[in-house]
Amino acid sequence: KMAKKKYFIIKDNKVKEKLIDYKFNAGFSVTQKQKNIKNINFEIFTKEGNEHKILEVSSKSLEDIGVKLSAFNLCIKTKKGLTISVESIFQASKVFENGGPYKDLLLKTSREAKKDERLKNSGNLTKFSYQNEDWELEPKTMFYDWIYINSVWLNIKNKTIDIEEFIERDIFTDVEFNHEKSFNCQARSLALFVILYKNNVLEECIENKNKFKSICKEIYSYEVDIPKEEINKTIQMSFENMLKEIKII
């Protein structure tokens, strides 16, 4: 069985979002997930060339640095000595029509925070609120990208993560990311981190929300490679629909 997977490549000083088909291995075990990672890497190298340096960013990564940089594992320490994951921060910052932010989720594990029933039963999401600052919902991934990037930088400064282990990578993947169901992706966030750091604007973007937004819009490309046959099929369907409308067919 074949499946599609997005990956994020740094090219021409931009993060570009691309799509590949790969041989999919069903199952939830780490072994099955790592088979998929290897297959994804194979297809990316085939498409992009072997000179690239790929990092899988997830708890299933084959590399320790990839596991550390998973949003479920990546944590910050507060002044009060609490250790909080990126995932818990993200979930605890959600504000809904009928409730939130549920700040008690900061004390929960990543999995507990993500599965909290209040996140499903409080109406539509209206905004994010973190450290007395509100973030609107658009662009969709902006708040998640910011807290992830901020957390990576804090860990580097605290020497719990070595920047040299990933800063020269130029392709990032996340085997757990389903682009048909989710918007936020730690692989994309880390790719943005690398570009911001290499362009010497990282700290400025962390400190200034509006600067972060404006620069990310410049460096992130939403273009996705679409196979020619899919484009041709779409054109053909549109043409047939037009003919039906004017009653030629």
Side-chain angles (χ1 to χ4, degrees), residues 192-236:
L192 288 171
F193 177 98
V194 170
I195 285 194
L196 294 175
Y197 179 82
K198 288 190 170 184
N199 282 280
N200 298 311
V201 292
L202 178 68
E203 290 191 88
E204 186 180 358
C205 286
I206 286 172
E207 291 167 7
N208 187 318
K209 167 183 162 183
N210 292 325
K211 185 75 173 178
F212 177 71
K213 285 184 179 181
S214 64
I215 289 180
C216 281
K217 285 177 182 177
E218 291 175 15
I219 65 174
Y220 183 64
S221 170
Y222 287 86
E223 294 174 8
V224 177
D225 285 355
I226 302 174
K228 287 182 180 178
E229 58 270 21
E230 288 189 26
I231 295 173
N232 292 336
K233 185 179 176 183
T234 302
I235 293 171
Q236 180 64 29

Side-chain angles (χ1 to χ4, degrees), residues 9-136:
I9 182 169
I10 296 174
K11 198 171 184 179
D12 303 323
N13 211 33
K14 289 182 181 289
V15 176
K16 297 189 177 182
E17 185 176 300
K18 294 193 176 185
L19 199 64
I20 45 111
D21 292 305
Y22 72 100
K23 185 179 177 182
F24 176 74
N25 295 278
F28 296 101
S29 70
V30 173
T31 302
Q32 293 298 91
K33 298 284 186 181
Q34 292 186 339
K35 284 180 185 176
N36 287 332
I37 292 168
K38 290 175 182 177
N39 290 344
I40 290 165
N41 286 359
F42 174 80
E43 297 298 339
I44 292 173
F45 282 134
T46 301
K47 182 175 180 177
E48 302 288 350
N50 289 329
E51 70 275 13
H52 292 282
K53 297 176 182 177
I54 302 173
L55 179 63
E56 164 67 24
V57 189
S58 74
S59 59
K60 309 301 186 299
S61 181
L62 294 157
E63 298 182 67
D64 287 344
I65 187 62
V67 174
K68 280 184 181 180
L69 289 166
S70 160
F72 271 44
N73 295 329
L74 185 65
C75 295
I76 61 169
K77 283 193 175 181
T78 69
K79 292 176 181 177
K80 294 181 180 179
L82 297 174
T83 300
I84 308 170
S85 72
V86 169
E87 185 65 32
S88 295
I89 293 170
F90 180 66
Q91 301 300 343
S93 301
K94 290 180 175 179
V95 180
F96 301 89
E97 291 172 316
N98 304 316
Y102 299 116
K103 293 186 178 180
D104 58 297
L105 296 180
L106 293 171
L107 304 176
K108 303 284 183 72
T109 66
S110 295
R111 294 187 194 284
E112 288 170 344
K114 190 172 184 177
K115 292 182 177 180
D116 193 284
E117 287 297 318
R118 291 171 296 176
L119 301 176
K120 300 176 184 177
N121 303 326
S122 299
N124 293 325
L125 186 65
T126 59
K127 64 180 178 180
F128 297 98
S129 182
Y130 180 63
Q131 292 182 335
N132 299 317
E133 187 167 28
D134 289 345
W135 292 69
E136 55 271 30

Side-chain angles (χ1 to χ4, degrees), residues 123 137 144:
L137 300 181
Y144 180 90

Side-chain angles (χ1 to χ4, degrees), residues 135 139-147 212-213 216-217:
W135 292 69
K140 286 186 174 64
T141 69
M142 193 66 65
F143 175 66
Y144 180 90
D145 289 335
W146 184 83
I147 57 171
F212 177 71
K213 285 184 179 181
C216 281
K217 285 177 182 177

